[in-house]
Amino acid sequence: MNKYDVIISPILTEKSYDGIADKKYTFKVASDATKTQIKVAVEDIFGVKVAKVNTVNVNGKKKRMGRSEGMTSAYKKAIVTLTEDSKTIEFFESLA
């Protein structure tokens, strides 16, 4: 698996913005990616040092459009914490 296949996109919510000050970044990742693969991918792509990775499987929610019912997509979320001496990720600096 390619490192760009592991990390799909950043997750930009109010809760994820609060973690930026503590060097915690949230990403949507491939559903079959392991914590080790996520750590290596973040370190290679952004040039930072990762202290730990926490993962969460997010289930899809039920949604209705008139009479028809459906589900939103389920995905895997990773919260990546950087080490104290690591530099920040530049993509998120403009957002904080």
Side-chain angles (χ1 to χ4, degrees):
M1 184 181 287
N2 186 357
K3 60 186 171 188
Y4 294 102
D5 294 335
V6 173
I7 297 186
I8 297 170
S9 66
I11 296 177
L12 306 173
T13 60
E14 286 185 39
K15 191 170 184 178
S16 68
Y17 284 132
D18 292 340
I20 292 175
D22 301 329
K23 293 189 177 182
K24 288 186 178 183
Y25 301 97
T26 309
F27 297 98
K28 186 175 182 181
V29 296
S31 59
D32 59 342
T34 63
K35 289 183 180 186
T36 309
Q37 289 174 331
I38 296 166
K39 178 181 178 179
V40 170
V42 170
E43 287 177 344
D44 288 350
I45 293 170
F46 299 108
V48 294
K49 295 219 178 210
V50 175
K52 68 178 181 176
V53 176
N54 295 359
T55 57
V56 179
N57 284 316
V58 180
N59 293 324
K61 296 180 182 176
K62 228 181 224 188
K63 294 288 182 180
R64 288 181 53 123
M65 289 288 280
R67 290 187 211 179
S68 60
E69 262 186 25
M71 297 282 287
T72 60
S73 299
Y75 62 94
K76 190 171 191 175
K77 178 169 71 171
I79 298 107
V80 178
T81 306
L82 304 182
T83 59
E84 290 292 324
D85 58 336
S86 176
K87 66 180 182 117
T88 59
I89 297 177
E90 291 145 12
F91 173 79
F92 292 96
E93 284 180 9
S94 61
L95 304 173

